[in-house]
Amino acid sequence: MKTLAKWSVDDYHRMVEAGILRDRHLELLAGEIVEMSPETPIHYTTAKRGAKYLEELLSGKADVRFNGPITLSDSEPEPDIAIVRLPESSYCDRHPAPQDIFWIVEVAKTSLNKDLEIKAAIYATAEIQEYWVLNLSAKQMIVFRNPQNGKYVEEYTLTQGTITPLAFTDISVSVQRLLPDGAVTE
C-alpha cells in the first residue's frame, strides 16, 4: 500500500475545524488518517466500566478520560481510556500531550493487531511510560512498560490478580474488574 501524503497534527486539526472529516470515525496515526473500527457492545461496555472503576481508584489523583483524543507529535489517537494529570480544566483548549499522560488503556477484539503493533509503537515513541491492552478474545491484559527507542522493553500478560500502575504505587488495580467474566460474549 502506498502512502500518498503524511499529515501533521496541525493539518489534521485544520481538517477537523473545516468540517472535512465530519461524520467519520477517524484518528491520526503516525501521520496517516485511519478509520477506526466500529465498537462492538462488549468493547464499549468494557471500556466504560474500566473507566468508571479507574475513576473510583484515582479520584483526586488523576483525570480518567474515556474515548477522547490525545495529541502526540505525529498522531492524534483516541484511546479507550487515558489516565492524565489534573486539573481537568487543563484540557479545555487542548488535548492531553505525552507529558500529561500517566498511562493508556485500549480495549481490543477486532483492533488487537493495531493496538499491539501500531499503537504500541506510537505510544512508546511518545514515551508514554505504561500502556495496557485488554484483549477481550483471550480475556487477558497485556502490559507494556519502559519505552526505549520507539519500543516497550517490558511486556507481560495478566489474566487475574492485581497490578500497580507505575505512576501510582499506592493503588492496586484488579485485572478481573477490567476484564469481567462476560467479556468475550458479543
Side-chain angles (χ1 to χ4, degrees):
M1 183 164 84
K2 293 181 183 177
T3 301
L4 299 177
K6 289 282 189 176
W7 303 100
S8 71
V9 171
D10 287 340
D11 294 335
Y12 184 69
H13 286 173
R14 283 193 293 273
M15 285 186 262
V16 169
E17 289 168 11
I20 294 169
L21 305 176
R22 184 177 300 124
D23 300 325
R24 303 206 43 199
H25 204 188
L26 306 167
E27 59 188 343
L28 181 68
L29 299 177
E32 295 182 14
I33 299 172
V34 178
E35 280 200 80
M36 296 172 67
S37 301
E39 282 189 342
T40 62
I42 192 61
H43 180 282
Y44 179 83
T45 300
T46 300
K48 186 176 178 185
R49 278 191 207 147
K52 283 184 175 181
Y53 172 53
L54 292 171
E55 282 176 355
E56 291 169 20
L57 290 176
L58 296 165
S59 179
K61 297 174 185 257
D63 180 25
V64 178
R65 296 172 63 88
F66 174 63
N67 282 347
I70 59 173
T71 302
L72 310 176
S73 65
D74 67 349
S75 299
E76 195 161 281
E78 294 190 20
D80 294 305
I81 304 169
I83 296 81
V84 302
R85 294 188 190 288
L86 290 171
E88 182 181 3
S89 61
S90 300
Y91 312 113
C92 290
D93 297 324
R94 66 178 181 86
H95 299 305
Q99 67 272 14
D100 303 311
I101 300 167
F102 292 117
W103 85 92
I104 290 177
V105 181
E106 293 281 8
V107 175
K109 188 165 185 172
T110 59
S111 64
L112 185 62
N113 288 337
K114 178 171 77 170
D115 292 336
L116 293 178
E117 295 169 17
I118 297 168
K119 285 194 172 181
I122 289 168
Y123 296 151
T125 299
E127 297 189 0
I128 294 168
Q129 294 302 302
E130 189 160 15
Y131 172 44
W132 301 352
V133 177
L134 305 179
N135 179 344
L136 296 178
S137 295
K139 293 173 75 172
Q140 59 186 203
M141 182 167 79
I142 303 157
V143 177
F144 296 92
R145 290 179 167 171
N146 194 9
Q148 293 179 13
N149 301 318
K151 289 184 172 182
Y152 285 99
V153 295
E154 292 178 43
E155 177 184 338
Y156 55 94
T157 302
L158 300 170
T159 56
Q160 58 187 2
T162 61
I163 182 170
T164 300
L166 294 174
F168 299 97
T169 57
D170 59 331
I171 300 287
S172 288
V173 179
S174 166
V175 174
Q176 288 92 332
R177 288 279 306 265
L178 293 177
L179 289 170
D181 284 339
V184 294
T185 59
E186 289 283 349

